mmCIF file of all heavy atoms in Angstrom:
data_model
loop_
_atom_site.group_PDB
_atom_site.id
_atom_site.type_symbol
_atom_site.label_atom_id
_atom_site.label_comp_id
_atom_site.label_asym_id
_atom_site.label_seq_id
_atom_site.Cartn_x
_atom_site.Cartn_y
_atom_site.Cartn_z
ATOM 1 N N SER A 14 96.722 86.049 54.897
ATOM 2 C CA SER A 14 96.220 87.148 54.070
ATOM 3 C C SER A 14 96.767 87.117 52.632
ATOM 4 O O SER A 14 96.025 87.443 51.698
ATOM 5 C CB SER A 14 96.494 88.517 54.693
ATOM 6 O OG SER A 14 97.871 88.777 54.814
ATOM 7 N N HIS A 15 97.991 86.681 52.498
ATOM 8 C CA HIS A 15 98.533 86.579 51.146
ATOM 9 C C HIS A 15 97.871 85.395 50.398
ATOM 10 O O HIS A 15 97.614 85.486 49.222
ATOM 11 C CB HIS A 15 100.039 86.335 51.151
ATOM 12 C CG HIS A 15 100.783 87.655 51.400
ATOM 13 N ND1 HIS A 15 100.926 88.264 52.632
ATOM 14 C CD2 HIS A 15 101.343 88.508 50.499
ATOM 15 C CE1 HIS A 15 101.556 89.381 52.453
ATOM 16 N NE2 HIS A 15 101.852 89.552 51.215
ATOM 17 N N PHE A 16 97.543 84.347 51.079
ATOM 18 C CA PHE A 16 96.804 83.216 50.486
ATOM 19 C C PHE A 16 95.419 83.779 50.021
ATOM 20 O O PHE A 16 94.971 83.412 48.912
ATOM 21 C CB PHE A 16 96.627 82.084 51.474
ATOM 22 C CG PHE A 16 95.706 81.026 50.989
ATOM 23 C CD1 PHE A 16 96.153 80.040 50.102
ATOM 24 C CD2 PHE A 16 94.382 81.002 51.336
ATOM 25 C CE1 PHE A 16 95.324 79.028 49.621
ATOM 26 C CE2 PHE A 16 93.490 80.033 50.830
ATOM 27 C CZ PHE A 16 93.990 79.062 49.992
ATOM 28 N N ILE A 17 94.766 84.513 50.840
ATOM 29 C CA ILE A 17 93.443 85.073 50.484
ATOM 30 C C ILE A 17 93.565 85.977 49.270
ATOM 31 O O ILE A 17 92.752 85.934 48.364
ATOM 32 C CB ILE A 17 92.858 85.791 51.705
ATOM 33 C CG1 ILE A 17 92.456 84.802 52.761
ATOM 34 C CG2 ILE A 17 91.637 86.639 51.284
ATOM 35 C CD1 ILE A 17 92.148 85.383 54.123
ATOM 36 N N ASP A 18 94.614 86.782 49.210
ATOM 37 C CA ASP A 18 94.783 87.650 48.027
ATOM 38 C C ASP A 18 94.862 86.802 46.743
ATOM 39 O O ASP A 18 94.307 87.209 45.699
ATOM 40 C CB ASP A 18 96.054 88.495 48.162
ATOM 41 C CG ASP A 18 95.949 89.629 49.143
ATOM 42 O OD1 ASP A 18 94.772 90.015 49.483
ATOM 43 O OD2 ASP A 18 96.992 90.133 49.589
ATOM 44 N N HIS A 19 95.543 85.650 46.798
ATOM 45 C CA HIS A 19 95.593 84.784 45.655
ATOM 46 C C HIS A 19 94.248 84.114 45.356
ATOM 47 O O HIS A 19 93.809 84.064 44.205
ATOM 48 C CB HIS A 19 96.664 83.718 45.880
ATOM 49 C CG HIS A 19 96.673 82.667 44.800
ATOM 50 N ND1 HIS A 19 97.207 82.924 43.578
ATOM 51 C CD2 HIS A 19 96.192 81.399 44.772
ATOM 52 C CE1 HIS A 19 97.064 81.858 42.778
ATOM 53 N NE2 HIS A 19 96.492 80.923 43.509
ATOM 54 N N ALA A 20 93.574 83.682 46.413
ATOM 55 C CA ALA A 20 92.273 82.958 46.247
ATOM 56 C C ALA A 20 91.164 83.887 45.608
ATOM 57 O O ALA A 20 90.411 83.408 44.814
ATOM 58 C CB ALA A 20 91.841 82.402 47.567
ATOM 59 N N ILE A 21 91.212 85.125 45.991
ATOM 60 C CA ILE A 21 90.141 86.045 45.436
ATOM 61 C C ILE A 21 90.378 86.282 43.940
ATOM 62 O O ILE A 21 89.449 86.606 43.224
ATOM 63 C CB ILE A 21 89.980 87.320 46.228
ATOM 64 C CG1 ILE A 21 91.284 88.172 46.226
ATOM 65 C CG2 ILE A 21 89.484 87.056 47.605
ATOM 66 C CD1 ILE A 21 91.065 89.571 46.735
ATOM 67 N N GLN A 22 91.620 86.127 43.496
ATOM 68 C CA GLN A 22 91.896 86.261 42.055
ATOM 69 C C GLN A 22 91.210 85.111 41.285
ATOM 70 O O GLN A 22 91.005 85.246 40.086
ATOM 71 C CB GLN A 22 93.389 86.334 41.787
ATOM 72 C CG GLN A 22 94.037 87.577 42.334
ATOM 73 C CD GLN A 22 95.540 87.570 42.106
ATOM 74 O OE1 GLN A 22 96.108 86.624 41.569
ATOM 75 N NE2 GLN A 22 96.200 88.609 42.560
ATOM 76 N N GLN A 23 90.882 84.048 41.966
ATOM 77 C CA GLN A 23 90.214 82.905 41.354
ATOM 78 C C GLN A 23 88.707 83.030 41.519
ATOM 79 O O GLN A 23 87.974 82.076 41.264
ATOM 80 C CB GLN A 23 90.700 81.601 42.002
ATOM 81 C CG GLN A 23 92.195 81.457 42.139
ATOM 82 C CD GLN A 23 92.938 81.600 40.819
ATOM 83 O OE1 GLN A 23 92.567 81.007 39.836
ATOM 84 N NE2 GLN A 23 94.000 82.400 40.810
ATOM 85 N N ASN A 24 88.259 84.197 42.013
ATOM 86 C CA ASN A 24 86.816 84.445 42.288
ATOM 87 C C ASN A 24 86.224 83.538 43.369
ATOM 88 O O ASN A 24 85.060 83.243 43.334
ATOM 89 C CB ASN A 24 86.008 84.369 41.012
ATOM 90 C CG ASN A 24 86.342 85.506 40.068
ATOM 91 O OD1 ASN A 24 86.533 86.643 40.502
ATOM 92 N ND2 ASN A 24 86.431 85.190 38.774
ATOM 93 N N ASP A 25 87.072 83.047 44.278
ATOM 94 C CA ASP A 25 86.610 82.218 45.360
ATOM 95 C C ASP A 25 85.883 83.090 46.366
ATOM 96 O O ASP A 25 86.231 84.226 46.609
ATOM 97 C CB ASP A 25 87.762 81.487 46.036
ATOM 98 C CG ASP A 25 88.333 80.426 45.157
ATOM 99 O OD1 ASP A 25 87.657 79.932 44.284
ATOM 100 O OD2 ASP A 25 89.508 80.050 45.350
ATOM 101 N N GLU A 26 84.867 82.497 47.015
ATOM 102 C CA GLU A 26 84.225 83.097 48.175
ATOM 103 C C GLU A 26 85.013 82.700 49.428
ATOM 104 O O GLU A 26 85.282 81.510 49.632
ATOM 105 C CB GLU A 26 82.798 82.597 48.304
ATOM 106 C CG GLU A 26 82.083 83.106 49.547
ATOM 107 C CD GLU A 26 80.727 82.397 49.743
ATOM 108 O OE1 GLU A 26 80.298 81.660 48.847
ATOM 109 O OE2 GLU A 26 80.170 82.649 50.792
ATOM 110 N N ILE A 27 85.418 83.654 50.214
ATOM 111 C CA ILE A 27 86.308 83.384 51.374
ATOM 112 C C ILE A 27 85.630 83.790 52.647
ATOM 113 O O ILE A 27 85.164 84.914 52.777
ATOM 114 C CB ILE A 27 87.623 84.189 51.277
ATOM 115 C CG1 ILE A 27 88.299 83.971 49.902
ATOM 116 C CG2 ILE A 27 88.527 83.803 52.392
ATOM 117 C CD1 ILE A 27 88.797 82.612 49.634
ATOM 118 N N ILE A 28 85.556 82.865 53.594
ATOM 119 C CA ILE A 28 85.107 83.132 54.971
ATOM 120 C C ILE A 28 86.406 83.068 55.856
ATOM 121 O O ILE A 28 87.041 82.026 55.926
ATOM 122 C CB ILE A 28 84.097 82.063 55.467
ATOM 123 C CG1 ILE A 28 82.935 81.893 54.503
ATOM 124 C CG2 ILE A 28 83.606 82.463 56.883
ATOM 125 C CD1 ILE A 28 82.060 83.070 54.320
ATOM 126 N N VAL A 29 86.754 84.188 56.450
ATOM 127 C CA VAL A 29 87.937 84.265 57.267
ATOM 128 C C VAL A 29 87.512 84.161 58.729
ATOM 129 O O VAL A 29 86.596 84.882 59.171
ATOM 130 C CB VAL A 29 88.644 85.622 57.051
ATOM 131 C CG1 VAL A 29 89.905 85.711 57.930
ATOM 132 C CG2 VAL A 29 89.060 85.780 55.573
ATOM 133 N N ILE A 30 88.110 83.257 59.452
ATOM 134 C CA ILE A 30 87.870 83.127 60.893
ATOM 135 C C ILE A 30 89.193 83.382 61.562
ATOM 136 O O ILE A 30 90.192 82.641 61.293
ATOM 137 C CB ILE A 30 87.339 81.744 61.267
ATOM 138 C CG1 ILE A 30 86.008 81.498 60.492
ATOM 139 C CG2 ILE A 30 87.090 81.663 62.761
ATOM 140 C CD1 ILE A 30 85.501 80.110 60.569
#
Side-chain angles (χ1 to χ4, degrees):
S14 64
H15 281 80
F16 172 82
I17 291 168
D18 287 341
H19 174 75
I21 60 170
Q22 292 177 1
Q23 313 304 312
N24 293 319
D25 290 336
E26 174 189 354
I27 309 293
I28 308 294
V29 179
I30 302 170

